[in-house]
Amino acid sequence: MDDDVERAARKVRDVEHAVTEHVTRSGPVTGRASSPDGAVTVVATPGGPPQRIEVSPAALRMGPQGLAAEIMRIADKARRDANTRLHRTLERVVDPRELTAMGIERGTDEDEFGWRR
């Protein structure tokens, strides 16, 4: 039993080391999304709040509720993009099924207009 625990602990340490090295080399993972007209752009991290929100003067014509809804919609797309990028980065060193189980899902490859790449 102790051998099994030691092997499991070693595997956890090895994966942790591989993930740390890989993320250090690749840099921070962010996602980006824009509204189709470019009025709202959001940069987000996986599972975190938006890091940057850009709003053009034209976006102010949406009114407060419309603008808030558009920011939330674009922020969600940016977060999904960040999760997909993180999944792609880590699936090289971690089983993709484990990433999905942790909530780091790989989304579809599509552009800001919904076209698949």
Side-chain angles (χ1 to χ4, degrees):
M1 184 74 145
D2 289 337
D3 290 340
D4 291 338
V5 171
E6 189 172 321
R7 271 194 298 273
R10 189 177 326 113
K11 182 176 179 175
V12 168
R13 283 192 307 271
D14 291 347
V15 168
E16 179 182 26
H17 181 72
V19 167
T20 300
E21 280 187 356
H22 193 72
V23 171
T24 299
R25 279 193 314 272
S26 67
V29 176
T30 60
R32 180 184 180 94
S34 296
S35 58
D37 61 0
V40 176
T41 299
V42 176
V43 175
T45 58
Q51 300 297 299
R52 189 171 73 231
I53 300 172
E54 298 171 6
V55 177
S56 75
L60 299 177
R61 288 184 279 215
M62 294 179 195
Q65 288 83 15
L67 180 57
E70 185 68 354
I71 289 171
M72 294 300 291
R73 185 180 74 79
I74 300 302
D76 186 54
K77 284 181 74 172
R79 182 196 47 78
R80 287 193 319 265
D81 182 53
N83 278 349
T84 296
R85 289 172 185 267
L86 181 61
H87 195 284
R88 276 193 220 128
T89 297
L90 294 181
E91 71 185 4
R92 298 173 188 149
V93 292
V94 177
D95 185 335
R97 294 171 296 194
E98 291 178 23
L99 294 171
T100 301
M102 291 187 306
I104 303 171
E105 297 183 14
R106 182 175 181 162
T108 59
D109 292 329
E110 60 183 42
D111 64 16
E112 64 269 17
F113 303 109
W115 292 92
R116 290 189 154 233
R117 296 182 208 185

